[in-house]
Amino acid sequence: MNSITELEQSVIGSVLLDEANLAFLPTLELYDFQTARGRATWQAIRNLEADASPIDLELIAARLTRDGSLEMVTYEYLRECELRVPTAMNAEAYAKLLRDAALKKRL
């Protein structure tokens, strides 16, 4: 797992596999996601969380559709995020790698 895209997908996939992982990712910000797909998906996840809505692939896709972003993100991308992650238990580690990569890029 080297690229920013892979790290973003791992974080998103970890949440798709277990939405409880959001509790371990409070410091992960929208600007930590460098791809438009990652940012749009993370925003949809956080919006669902703010609405106290359950979070899964279908509900994220519905939120992205409502926000006009599903065509750009694609259902296939969401599915790929879900399938990329071998275990949801490493969400914090994936988020740390993503934050570190984002910080390095900003410097």
Side-chain angles (χ1 to χ4, degrees):
M1 181 182 356
N2 297 325
S3 77
I4 292 295
T5 300
E6 290 172 326
L7 290 171
E8 290 178 0
Q9 288 179 314
S10 295
V11 169
I12 292 165
S14 294
V15 173
L16 282 167
L17 292 177
D18 186 355
E19 72 179 271
N21 280 322
L22 280 174
F24 303 111
L25 308 175
T27 61
L28 197 59
E29 299 291 337
L30 194 58
Y31 58 79
D32 291 324
F33 290 80
Q34 297 176 32
T35 68
R37 282 176 157 180
R39 280 190 304 275
T41 304
W42 193 247
Q43 185 66 60
I45 289 169
R46 288 301 192 184
N47 287 342
L48 288 169
E49 178 188 35
D51 294 344
S53 173
I55 298 168
D56 65 18
L57 192 140
E58 295 300 330
L59 294 170
I60 293 169
R63 184 60 175 241
L64 288 166
T65 298
R66 190 185 100 183
D67 296 343
S69 300
L70 185 60
E71 189 172 309
M72 182 259 304
V73 172
T74 75
Y75 190 86
E76 290 75 22
Y77 171 83
L78 296 175
R79 190 78 178 120
E80 187 178 330
C81 291
E82 188 175 54
L83 295 173
R84 168 171 294 288
V85 184
T87 177
M89 293 173 40
N90 295 331
E92 283 183 280
Y94 301 143
K96 182 181 181 332
L97 290 171
L98 180 59
R99 273 193 312 272
D100 291 350
L103 180 60
K104 188 181 287 186
K105 184 153 177 107
R106 286 192 294 269
L107 296 177

